[in-house]
């Protein structure tokens, strides 16, 4: 179900058809899906010995040359994660999903609908993780290519947005592809609404540095001129 193979069958809701024998056998045992051939990894399958930036629900492999830009609130909660390599960028998000079925097909349809409402015509293409969504959108800087990739996992979904060179040409993903395939998702046991963002937080050292910088900036702003 989570084999990450191109052209993998889309999930089917239980109300639409009975589960396949493989899915029935899986649910009849311990309900644990088979390990994927490559990541994003559920934490139970994550390879050991890899240095990663730990953001809580998402762990990002440290790869030379990749700049990690994290936007966080004053409490240290991460609101946006963007990785940059040369002319390409990769924005990441991770969301709650059901245990036995994926949600990327539905999310993809909603993204396409929103684009169409803005006068943009997206296209579906086959990629490493299955069906992707590509389009050219209007930005304040002019037209820009974007490419959405979705990866369904056990009780989570990773949404990746490529921008720049890697969006227009998948062959130029470079090390950003290694980042995506090396992600580790740590899904807690809390019941969460489907599509709710999984919580991410800055590591303590980064959060403390950010708070110190904010305090210093506030102090400088309160000094008499």
């Amino acid at each position: 179900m989570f084999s990450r193979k191109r052209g993998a069958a889309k999930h089917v809701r239980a109300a639409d058809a009975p589960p396949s024998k493989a899915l029935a056998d899986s649910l009849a045992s311990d309900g644990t899906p088979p390990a994927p051939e490559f990541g994003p990894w559920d934490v139970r399958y994550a390879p050991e010995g890899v240095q990663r930036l730990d953001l809580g629900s998402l762990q990002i492999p440290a790869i030379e040359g990749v700049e990690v830009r994290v936007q966080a609130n004053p409490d240290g909660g991460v609101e946006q994660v963007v990785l940059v390599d040369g002319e390409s960028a990769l924005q990441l998000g991770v969301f709650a999903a059901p245990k036995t079925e994926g949600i990327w097909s539905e999310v993809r349809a909603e993204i396409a609908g929103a684009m169409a409402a803005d006068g943009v015509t997206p296209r579906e293409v086959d990629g490493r993780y299955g069906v992707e969504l590509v389009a050219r959108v209007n930005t304040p800087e002019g037209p820009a290519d974007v490419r959405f990739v979705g990866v369904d996992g056990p009780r989570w979904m990773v949404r990746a947005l490529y921008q720049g060179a890697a969006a227009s040409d998948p062959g130029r993903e470079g090390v950003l592809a290694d980042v995506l395939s090396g992600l580790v998702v740590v899904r807690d046991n809390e019941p969460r609404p489907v599509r709710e963002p999984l919580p991410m937080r800055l590591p303590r050292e980064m959060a403390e540095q950010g708070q110190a910088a904010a305090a210093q900036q506030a102090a400088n702003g309160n000094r008499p001129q």
Side-chain angles (χ1 to χ4, degrees):
M1 182 175 177
F2 305 115
S3 61
R4 319 283 195 246
K5 292 181 180 178
R6 178 180 293 190
K10 297 181 180 178
H11 76 275
V12 179
R13 289 186 173 277
D16 298 331
S20 66
K21 183 179 185 303
L23 178 56
D25 290 345
S26 174
L27 296 178
S29 56
D30 63 358
T32 301
E37 297 176 2
F38 48 86
W41 309 97
D42 191 77
V43 65
R44 76 191 83 175
Y45 303 127
E48 298 181 357
V50 178
Q51 183 179 359
R52 302 181 180 96
L53 173 63
D54 188 352
L55 299 180
S57 294
L58 198 63
Q59 298 180 2
I60 302 173
I63 296 180
E64 185 176 357
V66 175
E67 177 187 357
V68 182
R69 300 176 182 175
V70 179
Q71 179 178 324
N73 58 37
D75 296 327
V78 174
E79 299 177 342
Q80 188 178 81
V81 180
V82 178
L83 300 102
V84 179
D85 175 48
E87 299 178 356
S88 300
L90 176 62
Q91 182 176 333
L92 299 171
V94 60
F95 306 88
K99 183 176 183 179
T100 58
E101 64 177 8
I103 60 174
W104 168 236
S105 61
E106 298 172 3
V107 171
R108 187 176 68 250
E110 291 184 359
I111 295 173
M115 286 183 173
D118 289 337
V120 176
T121 304
R123 296 182 296 109
E124 291 190 344
V125 299
D126 289 331
R128 188 183 191 191
Y129 297 95
V131 181
E132 303 176 353
L133 196 65
V134 299
R136 173 159 287 192
V137 299
N138 294 318
T139 72
E141 292 75 29
D145 293 310
V146 295
R147 180 163 58 93
F148 288 90
V149 178
V151 185
D152 286 313
R155 301 180 67 227
W156 53 261
M157 182 202 74
V158 168
R159 185 189 66 196
L161 170 60
Y162 281 105
Q163 303 173 68
S168 56
D169 180 5
R172 299 180 66 181
E173 290 176 359
V175 292
L176 292 182
D178 298 331
V179 172
L180 182 56
S181 65
L183 291 178
V184 175
V185 179
V186 183
R187 174 66 162 92
D188 58 25
N189 293 320
E190 295 294 325
R192 299 182 182 279
V194 173
R195 306 188 196 188
E196 177 181 286
L198 297 184
M200 291 190 286
R201 297 191 62 81
L202 289 174
R204 178 180 299 177
E205 296 79 4
M206 293 181 65
E208 291 175 349
Q209 291 174 3
Q211 291 171 354
Q216 183 63 45
Q217 184 176 7
N220 291 339
N222 292 330
R223 290 177 180 174
Q225 301 296 320

